[in-house]
Amino acid sequence: MATKATLSPGPVRPVSSNLKVNDTPPVSLSPDAAPFIPLAKETELGSVSDAGVQFARCASKLRLLRSGDPASLKTELNLLFDQLISENYNNNFSPHTYIRPEDVCALLVHASRLVPLSQEHLVIKLCQLIHHLLNQLQVIVDEHTLELLVCYTLRALSACSSWTHSDVLLALSTLVYGNGHKCHKHLSELLGETRVLMLYTAPTQPDMELRRAALTCMANLCLGIPGQPSLDEKYKSVCFRVFLETLQSPKSSTSDELLYCTVIQGALKGLQCLLSGGKWKFGPGEDLGSLLAALKRLMFHGAPGVCVEWLSVLYPATLPQYEAQSAPKPPELAPDPPAQSKASGNKKKKSRGKGKKTDEKRGDDGEEDEREREPVLLKGGGVKGGGGGGGEAWSKGPAASPSLYPSWKKSSSDSEFSDPEGGAQNKLRLYHCRVRQGALHCLLVVVKGVEKRTLYGYWSSFIPDAPIGGHPPLTLLTIILKDPSPKVRACALQVLSALLDGSRQLLGVAEDTAPPRTAFTPFSFSLATAIRELHRSLSLALLAEASPHTLTQVIKSLAHLVSNAPYNRLRPGLLSPLWRQIRPYIRHRDVNVRVSVLTLYGALLSAQAPLPEVQLLLRQPGGSSTSTTGSHTPQDTALSWRQRDGPSSPSHRSAHTSPPASRTPAEEGEGGGTGPPWLLQLCLSLVTQPREDQSDSEAAGGGGPTSLEPFPLRLEALQVLAHLVRGYFPLAQGSLCELGQVSASCLRETDPSIQLHGAKLLEELGTGIIQQYRAESSVPETARVPLSQVVQFWLEVLSGPLNRALQSEQHPTLQTSACDTLSSILPQAFAQLPDKSQVMCITVLLGLTYSDNSLVKAAAVRALGVYILFPCLREDVMFVADTANTILMALDDRSANVRAKAAWSLGNLTDTLIVNMECVGEDFQEELSDMLLLKMLKSAARASADKDRVKSNAVRALGNLLHFLRYGQLTRPVFQQPLEEAVRALVQTVQSEATMKVRWNACYALGNAFQNPALPLDSAEWSSDAFSALCSVVSSCKNFKVRIKSAAALSVPAQRSSYGDVERFGCVWSALAMALENSEDTHDFLEYHYCASLRHTLAKALTHLLSLSQSQDMPALGASLAGEEGKGIREHLVKYLRGEGEGSGGPGREGGKGGERDGEEGDSSNPQERVTALQKTRDRLRGACVEAEGGEGLGMDEARGAEMVVAFLEDVLRSCEELEGSHGTPTVAQFTPTV
């Protein structure tokens, strides 16, 4: 049934009920009647069509009718109903028809009052009228009309004879279409156990027409409207059971196959409506497995040659262990054995190079499978295909040799059937095709509505694991390669794309680079073979497909596969054949095919870039791939529509010419050219060069300048260029000027989409240059883009149309992208730009922070956060002050996105303050306003209570500010309360339930603050809370990164007085010792990666405390080191001093983007320096013990504790010396200074 939507008033004035019409007497239809002559078509736009006039006339007459003489009333109603039903109200047929929905509702309500239920013929006509008007006029009735008419139809179902129920149910299904949530009063009457819909949808119902009508009514009840409530869960479950039982029930021997197909279609449509309302929660039983098993069976319903015993339930498994070989059933299709035999005997395999005419006819027509004759496949030899399906197999005739060529490419004689027989066969084939298509549509809804993790267990039922011998399993790839209908093949490809989309978590486990194992097959290897089988099968489909729409779906499925497969973990060689195979399709006559090819190239360039295999393919010269195997398609339709008749087309090649041998990527890379990649040149030409001919589907490609390629193609080409620059910048940097010119030309165009992609390409170019100039970059200086060229590039960009894009207020997305482009300027190049260019960039960005659009404001604030890190700008106090005020204003914005970008920029600005403090000194600190610092401190403290995405950078800014403040500022009364609020904000964040990233940034911020010697850590009240929070998380937090950051923060204070009294110092020591003892206690396996780094940081913190310890600390330290706790500390200290565990997973400095600290703490000291420092601590404490023996210095308890500590340190150093001496390395004694 056509989708309905409430019509909005159009320009046509509605026909009133008082419209005077020439009331001519009706003429009865008879063979002797005069031929029908349509009235002249009205040329005026607002004229009323004949259908509207007829409706107004009949409605006027109907309103005048009253209950009176039953005979005359019945005659009048019959006549009026016939006249209303005979009119075509479809807008396509009568484009000027406008009938108000309220007039339709009023007519139907009045008619229902005139038709008694005893007049069953009138009841049928009224039901037909309800369906006709609501369906063709696309009217969804109001609640009052719905209530009256639903009650009327329900009374008719109970009072009228059963032969009327089919039409009554049709009217009821039309009424409830999209109104299921308004029928809650009648749901118990409709869906009760013994009610009419349940009785008519039961598998035991013999009347297939009634069953189909009841299923359609139930499906329309389940149809959800966006923004409207859905059915109650109780009734949803009832409907789901009915639909599933219908799919599972077999066809009885007396049922008509065509009617059975319509019943199945109704159940499939109902499941689609039911499952489309969001995530469906399947029961704990086998609901999902039963549904998938039914859908898999119906995916092959009526397909030729499918003869298997289908499973009733599919179970989740990684291997196809539940699909066992079973005895095949006799084929249900084609009841005439002689016709089957003849069909299988007259099969002719088409030549791949000469199948153009037939393929074009069957590929371009939407229902070509109803005209074509596919071979009927019998039980026999198998076809080599995908694995994983077990006993479900597609069988072929015993005389046929195994072939991978799709069966729908083979046709039979047109004279195999007589005309009546052929018509019946075509109709049956059409209905079977619709069932398969409906099953795949329903499966698509299931795939999109069920969690990915849940579906992973069922992959082996729909995607083969590997090609195996014998009977290949029945999977989606079987349909893609063998189904005769392009619509069904396209549906299967859509399901495959939905399965692959977002499957990176599963496919990322695949790996086949290791040598194969003979004892068992790892799961990773099974996934790798599945990926290879997908590549193989989709490549076959690509070669054989002729329908442009289905061909587009094949290429899209390949793009989803490439986007999610881990090619860096697979053996090379998968991408090279695909790269060469799709290249000819870039000149396909259908623009949608060409766009999908570019999408696939974009996926290839984005897959784990940079891949060595793709690098070699990009380096190939422009003409190399056209001469390799698989570079041309078997259809002329896939050739260049510009060069189809040229000398390079297959029709001009010699039929006896054998294709050249394939070469490996390495061999082809050796002979590759040094010019720009051919793909880059191709995309540049698609964006800028005029087209030479007209595309067949130009209308589908959208409008644009007639001299250029269609917009979708140009947009996709720009995206491919962006992917290429992002992943393979060294190959694209030689065309930097050309790419800049293309971006500038795009910015000059009027279409916002083209302008946006041009700006994004500029941003990628700038980002690629910045990556080359990073300090950690491995690109040699000679291979980088010269700085002079970078400066010239940005001079041309800034003097071009980018300024207009920055001021394009009507296109905020374009402004946002232009701001991102400005932020991608290389800092060294920015310093060499003319002053006017620098001022222009800064002024524009400061101005855009006042934009009313939150996206533009956020992008401008972020760009300022990038500029504040530029060496040429960060020492400019005025720029720092202006940027700070702008960021603080944005930090109070109502948009969370703006606040998050502002917090990130504030973190960068405070990073700049620390750099300037270390490089410039106190001069910069004195020039910066105290009031500005106070505002920044207060704003950062408030932001630390915001959302986590704001909080993570706000605490980073607080740590920098607390580190930056001078003693004179900290002692001022105005700073006292903000200082305390800032520290307490950090303490609360450390102890909160925020995300771990926020908490470890807060720990890092406290450690950063502790570096300021002016902070009164020994006397301030808040310092006790800070140390207590760090001690708590260092030993109890489940996240090891938070423990690492807190341990590092506890080791920052450089003076013993900063740790406070003896009790606090002892608490810090005990917390670190306990954390070291529990450094392997975790319930998350992923945290073990950080165990070595955690132990390293804790050992460093303990040695730091030992180096600062004083006499009053000795009793507690001695007691700790002399007990069981000391044995564990000793073991880890020895490893720390020797530098063990500093490889992978060990300590190393990591920093997130924008200064977010998300890695482990670094330790620049080497093992020798660590041993020397510990020896100094030992010697200092030994000297104190000597003084105590002379009666000076330490008390008795302190002296005893000091002796225990000295003995412990000597034992540690002795162990290091023994271990290093046994390995032949310099011993501790060799670099021990003389005491």
Side-chain angles (χ1 to χ4, degrees):
M1 184 170 56
T3 304
K4 301 178 179 60
T6 305
L7 297 175
S8 58
V12 184
R13 185 178 181 181
V15 181
S16 66
S17 60
N18 298 324
L19 182 65
K20 294 183 178 181
V21 183
N22 185 15
D23 202 1
T24 58
V27 179
S28 60
L29 297 178
S30 70
D32 300 329
F36 171 73
I37 302 175
L39 296 176
K41 185 178 180 180
E42 297 289 344
T43 57
E44 184 179 351
L45 181 62
S47 62
V48 181
S49 68
D50 292 342
V53 174
Q54 179 77 345
F55 178 86
R57 184 177 66 81
C58 294
S60 178
K61 283 187 174 184
L62 192 63
R63 274 192 295 271
L64 297 176
L65 294 179
R66 294 291 183 271
S67 300
D69 182 15
S72 61
L73 178 63
K74 179 178 179 181
T75 304
E76 289 290 334
L77 286 175
N78 260 314
L79 183 60
L80 290 174
F81 286 171
D82 287 340
Q83 290 175 351
L84 286 169
I85 293 173
S86 64
E87 288 293 334
N88 192 334
Y89 304 101
N90 196 306
N91 283 332
N92 295 329
F93 184 81
S94 303
H96 303 308
T97 300
Y98 175 72
I99 299 173
R100 295 189 306 171
E102 52 266 33
D103 293 340
V104 176
C105 294
L107 182 145
L108 295 177
V109 169
H110 186 66
S112 67
R113 291 169 178 164
L114 296 176
V115 178
L117 297 178
S118 59
Q119 299 290 335
E120 294 185 346
H121 284 87
L122 282 180
V123 171
I124 289 179
K125 286 194 175 182
L126 175 59
C127 291
Q128 292 174 351
L129 179 62
I130 291 173
H131 171 72
H132 185 70
L133 289 178
L134 299 185
N135 190 37
Q136 289 206 353
L137 292 174
Q138 298 183 356
V139 173
I140 295 182
V141 298
D142 56 73
E143 291 193 31
H144 175 69
T145 305
L146 178 68
E147 176 69 20
L148 292 177
L149 294 181
V150 168
C151 290
Y152 181 85
T153 53
L154 289 177
R155 290 198 307 270
L157 288 172
S158 59
C160 296
S161 303
S162 59
W163 66 274
T164 65
H165 289 185
S166 179
D167 289 297
V168 176
L169 286 173
L170 181 64
L172 180 60
S173 66
T174 310
L175 287 168
V176 301
Y177 184 90
N179 286 321
H181 61 285
K182 299 178 183 177
C183 300
H184 55 275
K185 297 180 181 178
H186 307 286
L187 288 178
S188 59
E189 191 173 356
L190 289 169
L191 300 175
E193 290 185 5
T194 59
R195 297 302 180 177
V196 59
L197 288 185
M198 300 301 294
L199 293 177
Y200 284 159
T201 55
T204 56
Q205 172 58 238
D207 192 334
M208 287 290 189
E209 189 63 32
L210 274 178
R211 192 175 174 190
R212 181 197 60 81
L215 285 169
T216 303
C217 185
M218 191 177 289
N220 289 353
L221 272 173
C222 297
L223 179 67
I225 302 296
Q228 299 292 341
S230 58
L231 286 181
D232 293 340
E233 292 298 327
K234 177 178 69 173
Y235 295 113
K236 277 186 175 182
S237 300
V238 170
C239 295
F240 177 79
R241 288 294 168 195
V242 170
F243 295 141
L244 183 57
E245 289 176 3
T246 303
L247 298 183
Q248 292 175 333
S249 60
K251 183 181 78 69
S252 63
S253 57
T254 59
S255 301
D256 181 72
E257 176 68 21
L258 297 182
L259 287 178
Y260 176 74
C261 289
T262 60
V263 169
I264 295 299
Q265 289 179 50
L268 290 171
K269 183 65 177 177
L271 277 173
Q272 282 184 253
C273 297
L274 190 63
L275 301 177
S276 298
K279 295 290 184 182
W280 178 262
K281 296 180 180 179
F282 287 93
E286 299 174 347
D287 287 350
L288 180 57
S290 301
L291 177 59
L292 292 177
L295 293 178
K296 183 174 182 180
R297 175 175 62 84
L298 295 173
M299 281 162 41
F300 296 93
H301 183 76
V306 178
C307 45
V308 297
E309 186 72 29
W310 293 99
L311 300 173
S312 60
V313 182
L314 294 180
Y315 294 98
T318 56
L319 294 176
Q321 54 190 354
Y322 299 102
E323 298 186 1
Q325 182 77 21
S326 57
K329 286 184 177 181
E332 296 182 3
L333 186 60
D336 188 3
Q340 291 183 4
S341 177
K342 186 176 181 181
S344 61
N346 291 341
K347 290 185 293 183
K348 295 181 180 179
K349 185 175 180 179
K350 294 181 183 178
S351 169
R352 296 195 180 187
K354 298 182 180 181
K356 172 184 175 183
K357 290 186 178 180
T358 306
D359 288 341
E360 281 189 345
K361 182 178 72 171
R362 65 163 302 287
D364 295 338
D365 195 313
E367 297 291 346
E368 77 300 329
D369 56 306
E370 287 79 39
R371 299 194 309 271
E372 295 271 340
R373 305 288 191 271
E374 74 276 3
V376 179
L377 304 178
L378 304 176
K379 179 181 176 183
V383 181
K384 184 180 180 183
E392 299 168 356
W394 191 299
S395 304
K396 293 186 64 175
S401 60
S403 171
L404 291 176
Y405 204 56
S407 64
W408 49 264
K409 297 292 291 180
K410 305 173 184 179
S411 65
S412 57
S413 172
D414 292 337
S415 61
E416 291 175 6
F417 301 103
S418 62
D419 288 343
E421 183 184 7
Q425 289 291 329
N426 286 340
K427 188 174 183 180
L428 182 61
R429 198 175 293 120
L430 170 63
Y431 276 58
H432 286 163
C433 170
R434 288 176 178 173
V435 170
R436 298 197 300 272
Q437 193 173 347
L440 288 166
H441 278 151
C442 191
L443 180 59
L444 179 63
V445 174
V446 172
V447 170
K448 291 183 177 179
V450 178
E451 293 291 338
K452 291 287 185 183
R453 290 175 176 267
T454 306
L455 281 178
Y456 287 158
Y458 298 95
W459 267 45
S460 60
S461 299
F462 299 95
I463 297 176
D465 292 330
I468 58 175
H471 296 289
L474 297 181
T475 61
L476 287 171
L477 297 181
T478 315
I479 300 176
I480 294 168
L481 288 173
K482 292 182 175 294
D483 198 284
S485 169
K487 288 187 176 181
V488 176
R489 298 196 298 271
C491 290
L493 288 162
Q494 289 177 353
V495 176
L496 179 61
S497 296
L499 282 171
L500 293 173
D501 188 22
S503 62
R504 190 173 302 174
Q505 184 180 14
L506 173 69
L507 296 182
V509 183
E511 184 175 13
D512 63 356
T513 55
R517 306 190 181 195
T518 56
F520 68 96
T521 302
F523 179 64
S524 59
F525 188 81
S526 298
L527 282 177
T529 53
I531 293 173
R532 292 187 177 277
E533 176 61 13
L534 284 169
H535 267 276
R536 187 190 69 86
S537 300
L538 290 177
S539 297
L540 285 174
L542 185 65
L543 285 171
E545 191 58 65
S547 168
H549 173 67
T550 312
L551 182 61
T552 303
Q553 292 299 329
V554 173
I555 301 174
K556 286 183 178 180
S557 298
L558 282 167
H560 282 102
L561 174 61
V562 170
S563 298
N564 292 278
Y567 294 99
N568 55 344
R569 296 167 57 92
L570 303 176
R571 295 194 311 271
L574 277 178
L575 299 181
S576 300
L578 178 61
W579 184 282
R580 293 190 295 267
Q581 187 179 358
I582 64 173
R583 181 168 180 179
Y585 292 93
I586 199 62
R587 298 299 183 185
H588 196 278
R589 63 174 64 223
D590 187 273
V591 68
N592 294 317
V593 175
R594 302 169 68 195
V595 171
S596 63
V597 170
L598 289 177
T599 304
L600 178 51
Y601 273 123
L604 287 166
L605 293 172
S606 303
Q608 297 93 45
L611 283 176
E613 187 175 359
V614 176
Q615 284 181 324
L616 293 173
L617 290 168
L618 285 170
R619 289 195 180 101
Q620 291 177 2
S624 66
S625 64
T626 59
S627 62
T628 56
T629 303
S631 61
H632 63 276
T633 64
Q635 301 90 7
D636 286 349
T637 56
L639 296 176
S640 169
W641 48 269
R642 298 178 179 179
Q643 303 174 355
R644 191 164 56 245
D645 299 325
S648 61
S649 64
S651 59
H652 289 76
R653 297 185 186 135
S654 171
H656 303 286
T657 303
S658 60
S662 300
R663 296 188 297 170
T664 64
E667 292 171 344
E668 292 178 348
E670 292 173 359
T674 58
W678 66 268
L679 185 58
L680 186 146
Q681 294 175 318
L682 171 68
C683 292
L684 289 177
S685 65
L686 290 175
V687 174
T688 59
Q689 297 300 319
R691 55 184 174 185
E692 302 172 9
D693 201 349
Q694 198 80 355
S695 172
D696 286 356
S697 58
E698 178 185 356
T706 56
S707 60
L708 297 175
E709 296 286 357
F711 276 149
L713 192 65
R714 300 180 65 211
L715 291 176
E716 203 64 40
L718 285 169
Q719 291 192 48
V720 173
L721 288 174
H723 290 310
L724 196 154
V725 171
R726 184 186 304 120
Y728 302 89
F729 184 77
L731 298 178
Q733 68 183 57
S735 304
L736 184 64
C737 295
E738 291 84 350
L739 290 168
Q741 292 171 2
V742 167
S743 301
S745 66
C746 291
L747 287 171
R748 291 189 186 95
E749 295 192 21
T750 57
D751 185 80
S753 299
I754 297 290
Q755 292 177 322
L756 177 63
H757 284 79
K760 288 186 177 297
L761 180 57
L762 279 178
E763 181 188 356
E764 294 294 345
L765 289 170
T767 304
I769 296 172
I770 291 175
Q771 294 293 338
Q772 283 192 341
Y773 277 82
R774 287 192 185 277
E776 62 272 15
S777 174
S778 60
V779 180
E781 188 173 351
T782 56
R784 300 175 183 174
V785 181
L787 186 58
S788 58
Q789 185 179 353
V790 178
V791 174
Q792 183 62 33
F793 170 79
W794 284 113
L795 278 175
E796 295 176 359
V797 170
L798 295 175
S799 61
L802 185 63
N803 291 333
R804 188 177 65 181
L806 288 166
Q807 300 171 14
S808 181
E809 296 182 0
Q810 66 274 24
H811 301 300
T813 308
L814 178 60
Q815 280 185 297
T816 302
S817 184
C819 289
D820 294 338
T821 301
L822 285 184
S823 67
S824 64
I825 301 178
L826 182 70
Q828 296 91 318
F830 187 89
Q832 296 188 17
L833 290 176
D835 291 344
K836 62 177 183 180
S837 298
Q838 296 184 12
V839 171
M840 185 273 292
C841 293
I842 296 171
T843 304
V844 168
L845 291 177
L846 288 173
L848 289 177
T849 57
Y850 293 91
S851 173
D852 294 332
N853 187 278
S854 60
L855 292 176
V856 178
K857 183 184 293 187
V861 170
R862 178 191 173 277
L864 288 173
V866 174
Y867 278 22
I868 199 65
L869 298 174
F870 285 5
C872 62
L873 295 176
R874 68 187 180 202
E875 297 180 8
D876 186 343
V877 178
M878 294 302 297
F879 173 72
V880 172
D882 292 341
T883 302
N885 285 314
T886 302
I887 292 173
L888 294 179
M889 178 187 66
L891 205 55
D892 294 328
D893 195 88
R894 61 182 181 181
S895 170
N897 186 42
V898 174
R899 297 198 304 273
K901 299 296 183 184
W904 182 84
S905 297
L906 182 61
N908 286 2
L909 188 146
T910 54
D911 285 344
T912 294
L913 298 183
I914 301 300
V915 173
N916 288 337
M917 180 184 69
E918 296 173 352
C919 298
V920 181
E922 294 186 1
D923 293 342
F924 181 84
Q925 291 178 283
E926 293 174 355
E927 292 181 17
L928 202 60
S929 168
D930 288 356
M931 290 298 101
L932 179 59
L933 287 173
L934 185 62
K935 287 173 58 180
M936 293 167 64
L937 192 64
K938 291 181 178 179
S939 296
R942 286 197 305 269
S944 65
D946 206 332
K947 297 181 178 180
D948 283 355
R949 55 189 302 209
V950 180
K951 188 184 301 184
S952 62
N953 287 292
V955 295
R956 176 164 70 98
L958 280 177
N960 285 329
L961 288 171
L962 292 175
H963 184 188
F964 182 79
L965 293 174
R966 291 173 292 133
Y967 178 80
Q969 296 166 332
L970 292 173
T971 54
R972 291 180 58 184
V974 70
F975 275 88
Q976 295 301 312
Q977 184 176 354
L979 172 63
E980 183 176 353
E981 291 176 353
V983 177
R984 296 202 182 280
L986 292 178
V987 171
Q988 291 174 3
T989 306
V990 170
Q991 296 175 331
S992 69
E993 296 298 325
T995 59
M996 296 305 170
K997 188 173 186 178
V998 174
R999 296 180 69 183
W1000 77 58
N1001 268 6
C1003 292
Y1004 180 90
L1006 280 176
N1008 195 6
F1010 288 171
Q1011 296 184 56
N1012 189 349
L1015 279 179
L1017 294 178
D1018 54 343
S1019 58
E1021 296 180 359
W1022 46 259
S1023 65
S1024 176
D1025 296 334
F1027 279 104
S1028 176
L1030 292 173
C1031 290
S1032 174
V1033 297
V1034 77
S1035 57
S1036 62
C1037 184
K1038 62 181 180 180
N1039 185 275
F1040 277 18
K1041 285 188 177 181
V1042 176
R1043 294 196 198 182
I1044 292 170
K1045 292 297 181 183
S1046 56
L1050 289 173
S1051 65
V1052 167
Q1055 302 294 330
R1056 168 62 185 84
S1057 59
S1058 300
Y1059 287 95
D1061 56 13
V1062 175
E1063 182 180 358
R1064 186 194 298 177
F1065 186 88
C1067 289
V1068 173
W1069 174 271
S1070 299
L1072 292 173
M1074 182 183 299
L1076 189 60
E1077 181 181 355
N1078 302 329
S1079 59
E1080 293 185 0
D1081 296 344
T1082 179
H1083 299 289
D1084 189 353
F1085 178 76
L1086 297 177
E1087 296 298 330
Y1088 281 107
H1089 176 70
Y1090 302 102
C1091 278
S1093 179
L1094 174 60
R1095 289 192 290 267
H1096 178 95
T1097 308
L1098 289 170
K1100 177 187 175 184
L1102 288 172
T1103 55
H1104 177 72
L1105 290 181
L1106 285 172
S1107 67
L1108 297 181
S1109 60
Q1110 300 296 329
S1111 58
Q1112 64 269 26
D1113 306 316
M1114 290 299 107
L1117 293 182
S1120 172
L1121 295 176
E1124 291 294 327
E1125 192 176 59
K1127 295 181 180 180
I1129 295 176
R1130 173 187 173 280
E1131 177 184 353
H1132 292 297
L1133 280 184
V1134 170
K1135 293 181 179 180
Y1136 168 73
L1137 293 176
R1138 298 185 65 245
E1140 295 181 9
E1142 296 186 15
S1144 59
R1149 185 176 298 278
E1150 296 180 8
K1153 183 177 179 181
E1156 296 175 7
R1157 273 72 181 180
D1158 57 357
E1160 303 86 7
E1161 281 304 300
D1163 186 0
S1164 58
S1165 62
N1166 56 44
Q1168 180 176 344
E1169 293 173 346
R1170 299 171 195 168
V1171 171
T1172 303
L1174 194 63
Q1175 288 171 346
K1176 290 181 179 180
T1177 302
R1178 180 202 59 185
D1179 297 340
R1180 179 175 62 82
L1181 295 178
R1182 180 185 293 169
C1185 292
V1186 172
E1187 293 178 0
E1189 292 176 358
E1192 300 178 4
L1194 301 179
M1196 183 180 300
D1197 293 339
E1198 296 171 350
R1200 187 180 299 108
E1203 291 176 356
M1204 293 180 181
V1205 174
V1206 170
F1208 173 83
L1209 295 180
E1210 289 180 343
D1211 187 25
V1212 169
L1213 292 172
R1214 189 181 309 110
S1215 298
C1216 288
E1217 181 179 0
E1218 293 174 355
L1219 289 173
E1220 296 200 14
S1222 64
H1223 287 81
T1225 55
T1227 62
V1228 176
Q1230 291 176 311
F1231 48 77
T1232 301
T1234 304
V1235 180

